[in-house]
Amino acid sequence: MLYKRSSALFAQAEIVIPGGVNSPVRAFKAVGGTPIFAKSAKGAYVFDEDGNRYIDYINSWGPMVLGHAYPPVVEAVIEKAKLGTSFGMPTEMETQIAALAIKMVPGIDKIRFVNSGTEACMSAIRLARGFTKKDKIIKFAGCYHGHSDSFLIQAGSGAVTFGSPNSPGVTQGTAKDTLLAKYNNIESVNALVNANLGEIAAIIIEPVAGNMGCIPPKEGFLEALRQLCNQNNILLIFDEVMTGFRLARGGAQELLKVNADIVTFGKVIGGGLPVGAFAARAEIMNYLAPLGPVYQAGTLSGNPLAMAAGLAMLNALEQDNTVFDRLAEKTLYLEKGIQKVLSENGIPFTVNRLGSMISVHFDSNPVVDFQTASKGDNEIFKKFFHGLLAEGIYIAPSAYESWFISDALSYEDLDYTINAIDKVARTL
């Protein structure tokens, strides 16, 4: 494939945008080469500025559950835009989508819309601290909750030490209130809780990790977290920015049958437009201003275009009784195909999957946390990524990201993908 125009556009972008991109993973730093510039997308496919077509397994990092340019979403945005793009005032549609989300998701009474998943997680932590009147939080190595200061923390020198900032600009004062546990390791969480009794406001987790590849929770892990939180008056926060309305109508809470105290959303809830949300039972949400003392605000929160797109998307998902089954079946079909061709080519690998999330790790050992995810062969992944790109298949340009399946993918697309993986595997 030719990438002449994409290369030229990237060179222009580097002059005026840091690194030429507005989100670091787009820069292809992890895989090498020059990023492709998207021009349009429809259904299962994205088209770049050079006219190349790709079967898309990123789907805007998750929200395009029903495919790109899904007609009801597009039509809803167009019609709403004709009436005005932003008011800074309440609209009826905010109440409509709030009521629908509460109907679909277990355990929530009220929801507040924001502008991104980062903002949703940041606000959820502030709310948890205000509600519990405690300062410390526990997060998990490898889980990503946006770029808010509280979340950009790396491990300390031991299981019960404070973390330290892993980005300049994050203060040691912020880092001291964030404790880092190991995903799928309840003992590491217990150690942190016991070392900080009465000080922890919340535990925040991706119930199905998507930022170290797809890593499902081990059996009993989330249940143990729930019990630990109950015993210690700690709020459990599920970051469902990726999993919400993707794994099931009610997200991971419904699929895995474990309820959080606070849940955050993004991506799908806006139909692909910039949006996020956080939700909880009424007694927690009523701590938010203007009812309560915890302040959170946003001029563009509940933006009418995002609400129109989100309402159209949620309505489609709520009304289709088989969509999540279809998504899971297609993802399982892809998993079996990948396993077959990589095995036949003698390549060490592990495939993780849950629902419509899947990832390929180039290591034969189980991948259950960030440490095991880090053992994958990144040199093989780089060749794998560029090989698939040349075959017209677009996966995340990082070994530490989940793939997201859309219902727009046909079985012909999946077969083409499996055959392309076989072709690329022969060169690895």
Side-chain angles (χ1 to χ4, degrees), residues 3 100 254 259 272 338 368 383:
Y3 308 109
L100 180 56
E254 176 188 328
N259 281 10
I338 293 172
V368 298
K383 295 175 183 177

Side-chain angles (χ1 to χ4, degrees), residues 93-275:
M93 190 163 284
E94 293 168 70
T95 304
Q96 292 172 340
I97 188 173
L100 180 56
I102 290 166
K103 175 186 175 185
M104 295 171 72
V105 177
I108 64 173
D109 300 318
K110 295 186 177 183
I111 187 169
R112 177 163 285 180
F113 290 95
V114 292
N115 297 292
S116 69
T118 290
E119 191 179 343
C121 292
M122 174 187 74
S123 302
I125 289 295
R126 183 184 302 160
L127 177 58
R129 284 172 166 156
F131 182 78
T132 62
K133 298 178 175 58
K134 295 183 283 187
D135 293 337
K136 293 179 182 177
I137 64 169
I138 294 175
K139 72 175 292 286
F140 293 84
C143 285
Y144 179 72
H145 308 291
H147 59 88
S148 177
D149 286 2
S150 296
F151 304 129
L152 295 181
I153 306 298
Q154 62 188 4
S157 59
V160 298
T161 62
F162 296 128
S164 60
N166 65 356
S167 172
V170 178
T171 67
Q172 291 287 348
T174 297
K176 74 178 178 62
D177 287 330
T178 300
L179 307 170
L180 202 65
K182 295 180 180 178
Y183 194 81
N184 273 326
N185 185 324
I186 194 64
E187 289 77 17
S188 74
V189 187
N190 275 317
L192 292 174
V193 171
N194 290 332
N196 298 273
L197 286 173
E199 298 181 81
I200 298 170
I203 296 174
I204 185 168
I205 188 170
E206 293 179 274
V208 179
N211 287 283
M212 41 187 163
C214 171
I215 300 183
K218 288 182 178 178
E219 185 176 353
F221 174 62
L222 294 180
E223 290 84 353
L225 274 184
R226 177 69 273 172
Q227 184 177 9
L228 185 64
C229 288
N230 291 345
Q231 293 169 345
N232 292 275
N233 296 313
I234 296 169
L235 296 183
L236 179 59
I237 303 173
F238 277 3
D239 175 352
E240 293 222 44
V241 168
M242 287 184 175
T243 59
F245 309 103
R246 166 167 278 282
L247 296 184
R249 284 176 185 78
Q253 290 190 100
E254 176 188 328
L255 183 68
L256 302 174
K257 296 178 173 55
V258 178
N259 281 10
D261 296 298
I262 305 175
V263 59
T264 66
F265 301 108
K267 304 184 189 300
V268 180
I269 205 170
L273 271 68
V275 71

